[in-house]
Amino acid sequence: MVRIMRIEVSKYNGFCAGVKVAVNKAFNALEEEKKLYSYGEIIHNKDVIDKLKEMGLTVVDEVPEKSDAKLLIRAHGVGKYVYDKINENNVEVIDATCVKVKKIHKIVEEFKNNDYNIIIAGDKNHPEVLGIIGWCIDAEVIDSVDAFKSLDIDASKKYLLVSQTTFNSKTFDEITDYIEKKHLTNVVAENTICDATRKRQDSCLELASRCDVMLIVGSKTSSNTKKLYELSKKVCENTFLIENYKEIPYKYIDKKTIVGVSAGASAPDWIIEEVIKMLENLNNDMNEKNEQAEQAGTMHELLENYGGVSYIRTGERIKGTVIYVTPEAVSVNINYKSDGIITRDEFSMGEVQDLTKLVKEGDEIEAQVVKISDQDGNVVLTRKPLEEHKVWEELEAMKNDGTVVETIIVEASQFGIYGKVKGIKGFIPRNQISINRNADPSEYVGKNLKVQVLETKNNKGRRQLVLTSRAIEKQEKEAKDNEVWETIKEGEIYEGTVKNIQDYGAFVEINGIDGLLHINEIAWTRIKHPSEVLKTGDKISVKVKSIDKENKKLSLSYKATIKSPWALFLDKHQKGDVVTGVVTRIVDFGAFVMVDDIECLLHIKDLDWARTEKVTDILHEGQEVTAKILNITRKDRKVSLGMKQLVEHPFDKYAKDLKKDDIIQVEVTRILLDGVHVSVNGNIDCFIPIAKVSTEKLRTPAQVVKVGEMKDAKVLGIDLKGKNLNLSFILEDKGDEFENTEAASYQPEEANFTIGESIGNALGDLLK
């Protein structure tokens, strides 16, 4: 039995946990922000870096001065000074430093603070080592036992030895063995090699020991990949470091070869899978050739007698005659032991619905061999490669001409969507799907989309069809927008949709164009944030305040389309109405009450019929009050309220049962030089002139009365209009002298004297 090639894959391959986390964080950030800075390359793999750069990644060697995007710190970590610079520049950080690397930073910083000299086993130019040095200021870097031996170890000093996480574990063991052998008790060794690195190295070494050829997949600049290569090379002479399937050394591989595959931490799964898939294809191809070689000896003579070919090969171009056609497949006589079969999907790069409409029996047809025998024994053929070159030329022309075509979206991923153009599967990156940045790729599957060819080659020059639907959508929107800008009119009212809300206002879309609705134009009352009135998606009417066609700016107003609170108030209320409101502010002269969004003044003099000293004696902020509208000034937009007007005046209530010459009891409340104030019924203030206080001639009423004294008074007259009583204390009877004398009217605002003058006059009288 013929021996076939065997492919064996190392147990531990691909991204380590730290690198995987960093790469995932980068992809996730770019999905959301579309722009990201990376402090150095995230991974030593050009394919991955190129893909991230296409999505918006910018690799930098210094902390950006401007914080227009987040900064990602890769798994290798950075020095303490970098974090200081980040804080200084106020840059938002995505810290993807490997937890094992962070542990090393903490160890060296702690030991350095305790006066230890730091020694690092690793590559002095590797980013991880440079980052570690940044946490201990300075360190000696070694890469072998001989390098350690060359160090001048001072017995009077303390040393700490750590290692790069991807350092060769066997080399580190040799160094620690030497330290133990030489009894260097002042050297503390911390093995900080990552367990994943050890497992990867051990697995690679074990695999290499039993393989004829070892393929180490990864970047040639990757430290851990180079260490795998060095380890494998020691036990397997035919060890090769390859970056992708294109570098597979086929001349070292035949049907008897055992091929081992291992990969560094910088190799993504899809590159490893491509290498393995290519080896499997090679294996299958060698098996087919073996079968053909065996059959050639027995069938050669018979085929030659019939004038046919002796054998065919996979990938070979052949010609044949159509012998049978169905809508789904074409059967072709290729002068071989079996007929060839071309399915509808393999007939053309373009979409084919029915093969009977394209070919007929007897037609000569050219195709390429895909497989020597399928499950029914037919030779599987395809015509696609024959058309492919021509199709790519057409796609290039479409790119140059900006041709617009339609495609059905057949697949979606987190990075974009896929559709076919002329039978070639094309990729539409997420940022090329729509002008809507939040477009969900999954929502486009099964839909027809207008697209243009963006690229026909990738950065490496390989054929790759990249499409854009965003560019077409943008062109269509610009054309529609220009039409709207020509028709929209200032002062008109339009229906719009709230698209975005900011602190300073909201953006409203009108017929496809966005206008700014400033916060001051949202409501008639003062609001702190637009979200108090609006939410995204609201359908509202807005009035166009101004149009700047040159700069494509539109200023809108929402409140102009609705009645103001003042207008609504006037529609609802008039002078004399009784209203209810809430006290919003209290001032010395009264209180402001909010009634239907209008602030009304309730003056202190209109709080109570009795004299009010302080507003807070009656009201407090937040209190609900009922009052009467005393006046509305339309010009100044002012409303006056009164509370006391809702109750009967105390004087009117008291005077109902009062008549002239009645004797009533009063309380002296204030004493002036020209008379006294008395309280009637506890809430009516009246003035009795000095002449009615006593029959004697007085310098001051204080000579015969005092504040708080209760006295009897005679009602001389009742002034209902002026709300006043003409009173007199009960005096000695001196005929009709007092009864015919009209009471003097007290008008304190007309008094022309000062307290100083009054006291002076009183003292003068006493000294006479």
Side-chain angles (χ1 to χ4, degrees), residues 258-282:
I258 300 175
V259 182
V261 179
S262 183
S266 61
D269 292 343
W270 58 274
I271 288 183
I272 301 170
E273 289 170 2
E274 280 184 343
V275 171
I276 296 170
K277 186 67 176 176
M278 209 63 179
L279 291 171
E280 290 175 345
N281 289 341
L282 176 63

mmCIF file of all heavy atoms in Angstrom, residues 258-282:
data_model
loop_
_atom_site.group_PDB
_atom_site.id
_atom_site.type_symbol
_atom_site.label_atom_id
_atom_site.label_comp_id
_atom_site.label_asym_id
_atom_site.label_seq_id
_atom_site.Cartn_x
_atom_site.Cartn_y
_atom_site.Cartn_z
ATOM 1 N N ILE A 258 6.346 13.198 7.141
ATOM 2 C CA ILE A 258 5.525 13.542 8.308
ATOM 3 C C ILE A 258 5.775 15.033 8.571
ATOM 4 O O ILE A 258 6.900 15.438 8.874
ATOM 5 C CB ILE A 258 5.911 12.718 9.551
ATOM 6 C CG1 ILE A 258 5.735 11.220 9.276
ATOM 7 C CG2 ILE A 258 5.063 13.143 10.755
ATOM 8 C CD1 ILE A 258 6.205 10.330 10.414
ATOM 9 N N VAL A 259 4.726 15.846 8.409
ATOM 10 C CA VAL A 259 4.858 17.299 8.544
ATOM 11 C C VAL A 259 4.249 17.753 9.871
ATOM 12 O O VAL A 259 3.087 17.435 10.165
ATOM 13 C CB VAL A 259 4.169 18.034 7.375
ATOM 14 C CG1 VAL A 259 4.367 19.550 7.522
ATOM 15 C CG2 VAL A 259 4.705 17.552 6.050
ATOM 16 N N GLY A 260 5.030 18.480 10.663
ATOM 17 C CA GLY A 260 4.527 19.036 11.919
ATOM 18 C C GLY A 260 4.277 20.531 11.777
ATOM 19 O O GLY A 260 5.041 21.228 11.098
ATOM 20 N N VAL A 261 3.214 21.019 12.401
ATOM 21 C CA VAL A 261 2.872 22.445 12.342
ATOM 22 C C VAL A 261 2.748 22.994 13.757
ATOM 23 O O VAL A 261 1.985 22.474 14.578
ATOM 24 C CB VAL A 261 1.545 22.676 11.584
ATOM 25 C CG1 VAL A 261 1.204 24.169 11.565
ATOM 26 C CG2 VAL A 261 1.625 22.132 10.164
ATOM 27 N N SER A 262 3.525 24.039 14.031
ATOM 28 C CA SER A 262 3.425 24.762 15.303
ATOM 29 C C SER A 262 3.363 26.253 14.963
ATOM 30 O O SER A 262 3.733 26.658 13.857
ATOM 31 C CB SER A 262 4.616 24.463 16.207
ATOM 32 O OG SER A 262 4.468 25.113 17.455
ATOM 33 N N ALA A 263 2.868 27.046 15.904
ATOM 34 C CA ALA A 263 2.705 28.475 15.594
ATOM 35 C C ALA A 263 2.987 29.322 16.819
ATOM 36 O O ALA A 263 2.719 28.922 17.961
ATOM 37 C CB ALA A 263 1.301 28.752 15.082
ATOM 38 N N GLY A 264 3.527 30.512 16.565
ATOM 39 C CA GLY A 264 3.812 31.461 17.640
ATOM 40 C C GLY A 264 2.562 32.196 18.091
ATOM 41 O O GLY A 264 1.494 32.086 17.489
ATOM 42 N N ALA A 265 2.717 32.968 19.146
ATOM 43 C CA ALA A 265 1.579 33.685 19.737
ATOM 44 C C ALA A 265 1.065 34.799 18.840
ATOM 45 O O ALA A 265 -0.008 35.349 19.079
ATOM 46 C CB ALA A 265 1.978 34.256 21.096
ATOM 47 N N SER A 266 1.820 35.150 17.800
ATOM 48 C CA SER A 266 1.385 36.232 16.912
ATOM 49 C C SER A 266 0.658 35.721 15.675
ATOM 50 O O SER A 266 0.282 36.502 14.810
ATOM 51 C CB SER A 266 2.612 37.058 16.469
ATOM 52 O OG SER A 266 3.523 36.234 15.761
ATOM 53 N N ALA A 267 0.462 34.411 15.581
ATOM 54 C CA ALA A 267 -0.191 33.843 14.399
ATOM 55 C C ALA A 267 -1.678 33.651 14.658
ATOM 56 O O ALA A 267 -2.059 32.866 15.525
ATOM 57 C CB ALA A 267 0.459 32.514 14.037
ATOM 58 N N PRO A 268 -2.551 34.355 13.913
ATOM 59 C CA PRO A 268 -3.996 34.170 14.099
ATOM 60 C C PRO A 268 -4.449 32.808 13.583
ATOM 61 O O PRO A 268 -3.799 32.209 12.719
ATOM 62 C CB PRO A 268 -4.610 35.312 13.285
ATOM 63 C CG PRO A 268 -3.574 35.672 12.283
ATOM 64 C CD PRO A 268 -2.241 35.398 12.912
ATOM 65 N N ASP A 269 -5.593 32.342 14.084
ATOM 66 C CA ASP A 269 -6.095 31.008 13.728
ATOM 67 C C ASP A 269 -6.278 30.848 12.225
ATOM 68 O O ASP A 269 -6.000 29.787 11.663
ATOM 69 C CB ASP A 269 -7.426 30.751 14.444
ATOM 70 C CG ASP A 269 -7.236 30.629 15.954
ATOM 71 O OD1 ASP A 269 -6.086 30.425 16.370
ATOM 72 O OD2 ASP A 269 -8.235 30.751 16.688
ATOM 73 N N TRP A 270 -6.762 31.906 11.559
ATOM 74 C CA TRP A 270 -7.083 31.744 10.136
ATOM 75 C C TRP A 270 -5.844 31.526 9.271
ATOM 76 O O TRP A 270 -5.900 30.848 8.243
ATOM 77 C CB TRP A 270 -7.906 32.922 9.630
ATOM 78 C CG TRP A 270 -7.294 34.278 9.785
ATOM 79 C CD1 TRP A 270 -7.354 35.083 10.864
ATOM 80 C CD2 TRP A 270 -6.524 34.998 8.813
ATOM 81 N NE1 TRP A 270 -6.685 36.266 10.651
ATOM 82 C CE2 TRP A 270 -6.171 36.243 9.386
ATOM 83 C CE3 TRP A 270 -6.111 34.723 7.509
ATOM 84 C CZ2 TRP A 270 -5.408 37.193 8.713
ATOM 85 C CZ3 TRP A 270 -5.357 35.679 6.831
ATOM 86 C CH2 TRP A 270 -5.009 36.894 7.439
ATOM 87 N N ILE A 271 -4.679 32.071 9.698
ATOM 88 C CA ILE A 271 -3.442 31.838 8.943
ATOM 89 C C ILE A 271 -2.966 30.407 9.157
ATOM 90 O O ILE A 271 -2.517 29.731 8.221
ATOM 91 C CB ILE A 271 -2.358 32.856 9.356
ATOM 92 C CG1 ILE A 271 -2.710 34.241 8.801
ATOM 93 C CG2 ILE A 271 -0.983 32.424 8.867
ATOM 94 C CD1 ILE A 271 -1.687 35.302 9.073
ATOM 95 N N ILE A 272 -3.081 29.911 10.403
ATOM 96 C CA ILE A 272 -2.689 28.526 10.708
ATOM 97 C C ILE A 272 -3.578 27.563 9.911
ATOM 98 O O ILE A 272 -3.098 26.584 9.327
ATOM 99 C CB ILE A 272 -2.818 28.252 12.216
ATOM 100 C CG1 ILE A 272 -1.923 29.211 13.014
ATOM 101 C CG2 ILE A 272 -2.441 26.811 12.542
ATOM 102 C CD1 ILE A 272 -2.155 29.184 14.512
ATOM 103 N N GLU A 273 -4.897 27.872 9.878
ATOM 104 C CA GLU A 273 -5.831 27.008 9.154
ATOM 105 C C GLU A 273 -5.531 26.985 7.661
ATOM 106 O O GLU A 273 -5.684 25.948 6.998
ATOM 107 C CB GLU A 273 -7.261 27.489 9.398
ATOM 108 C CG GLU A 273 -7.742 27.214 10.817
ATOM 109 C CD GLU A 273 -9.064 27.892 11.123
ATOM 110 O OE1 GLU A 273 -9.616 28.550 10.204
ATOM 111 O OE2 GLU A 273 -9.534 27.782 12.264
ATOM 112 N N GLU A 274 -5.118 28.130 7.108
ATOM 113 C CA GLU A 274 -4.764 28.177 5.681
ATOM 114 C C GLU A 274 -3.585 27.260 5.383
ATOM 115 O O GLU A 274 -3.562 26.562 4.364
ATOM 116 C CB GLU A 274 -4.423 29.613 5.275
ATOM 117 C CG GLU A 274 -5.620 30.492 5.007
ATOM 118 C CD GLU A 274 -5.230 31.869 4.509
ATOM 119 O OE1 GLU A 274 -4.051 32.256 4.669
ATOM 120 O OE2 GLU A 274 -6.093 32.572 3.965
ATOM 121 N N VAL A 275 -2.573 27.264 6.277
ATOM 122 C CA VAL A 275 -1.392 26.410 6.083
ATOM 123 C C VAL A 275 -1.805 24.944 6.113
ATOM 124 O O VAL A 275 -1.416 24.146 5.246
ATOM 125 C CB VAL A 275 -0.332 26.711 7.166
ATOM 126 C CG1 VAL A 275 0.790 25.680 7.106
ATOM 127 C CG2 VAL A 275 0.232 28.112 7.002
ATOM 128 N N ILE A 276 -2.613 24.572 7.119
ATOM 129 C CA ILE A 276 -3.048 23.176 7.255
ATOM 130 C C ILE A 276 -3.894 22.766 6.047
ATOM 131 O O ILE A 276 -3.742 21.669 5.496
ATOM 132 C CB ILE A 276 -3.834 22.984 8.564
ATOM 133 C CG1 ILE A 276 -2.910 23.238 9.761
ATOM 134 C CG2 ILE A 276 -4.429 21.591 8.647
ATOM 135 C CD1 ILE A 276 -3.626 23.301 11.091
ATOM 136 N N LYS A 277 -4.804 23.661 5.616
ATOM 137 C CA LYS A 277 -5.663 23.368 4.463
ATOM 138 C C LYS A 277 -4.830 23.156 3.206
ATOM 139 O O LYS A 277 -5.113 22.262 2.392
ATOM 140 C CB LYS A 277 -6.655 24.523 4.257
ATOM 141 C CG LYS A 277 -7.691 24.264 3.176
ATOM 142 C CD LYS A 277 -8.634 23.154 3.570
ATOM 143 C CE LYS A 277 -9.713 22.960 2.526
ATOM 144 N NZ LYS A 277 -10.584 21.806 2.847
ATOM 145 N N MET A 278 -3.783 23.955 3.044
ATOM 146 C CA MET A 278 -2.930 23.832 1.859
ATOM 147 C C MET A 278 -2.190 22.493 1.865
ATOM 148 O O MET A 278 -2.049 21.835 0.824
ATOM 149 C CB MET A 278 -1.941 24.989 1.830
ATOM 150 C CG MET A 278 -1.512 25.381 0.452
ATOM 151 S SD MET A 278 -2.932 25.978 -0.490
ATOM 152 C CE MET A 278 -2.125 26.376 -2.030
ATOM 153 N N LEU A 279 -1.743 22.078 3.062
ATOM 154 C CA LEU A 279 -1.063 20.785 3.170
ATOM 155 C C LEU A 279 -2.032 19.645 2.865
ATOM 156 O O LEU A 279 -1.669 18.658 2.210
ATOM 157 C CB LEU A 279 -0.477 20.621 4.581
ATOM 158 C CG LEU A 279 0.709 21.526 4.934
ATOM 159 C CD1 LEU A 279 1.048 21.409 6.406
ATOM 160 C CD2 LEU A 279 1.930 21.183 4.092
ATOM 161 N N GLU A 280 -3.278 19.773 3.331
ATOM 162 C CA GLU A 280 -4.288 18.746 3.051
ATOM 163 C C GLU A 280 -4.592 18.661 1.558
ATOM 164 O O GLU A 280 -4.753 17.569 1.001
ATOM 165 C CB GLU A 280 -5.565 19.044 3.836
ATOM 166 C CG GLU A 280 -5.407 18.836 5.338
ATOM 167 C CD GLU A 280 -6.647 19.264 6.110
ATOM 168 O OE1 GLU A 280 -7.494 19.972 5.508
ATOM 169 O OE2 GLU A 280 -6.758 18.918 7.301
ATOM 170 N N ASN A 281 -4.663 19.828 0.901
ATOM 171 C CA ASN A 281 -4.900 19.839 -0.558
ATOM 172 C C ASN A 281 -3.751 19.161 -1.295
ATOM 173 O O ASN A 281 -3.963 18.418 -2.265
ATOM 174 C CB ASN A 281 -5.064 21.270 -1.060
ATOM 175 C CG ASN A 281 -6.374 21.884 -0.607
ATOM 176 O OD1 ASN A 281 -7.297 21.179 -0.221
ATOM 177 N ND2 ASN A 281 -6.465 23.202 -0.645
ATOM 178 N N LEU A 282 -2.538 19.456 -0.815
ATOM 179 C CA LEU A 282 -1.358 18.836 -1.424
ATOM 180 C C LEU A 282 -1.421 17.324 -1.256
ATOM 181 O O LEU A 282 -1.127 16.561 -2.182
ATOM 182 C CB LEU A 282 -0.093 19.404 -0.770
ATOM 183 C CG LEU A 282 1.239 18.793 -1.236
ATOM 184 C CD1 LEU A 282 1.465 19.065 -2.716
ATOM 185 C CD2 LEU A 282 2.398 19.351 -0.407
#
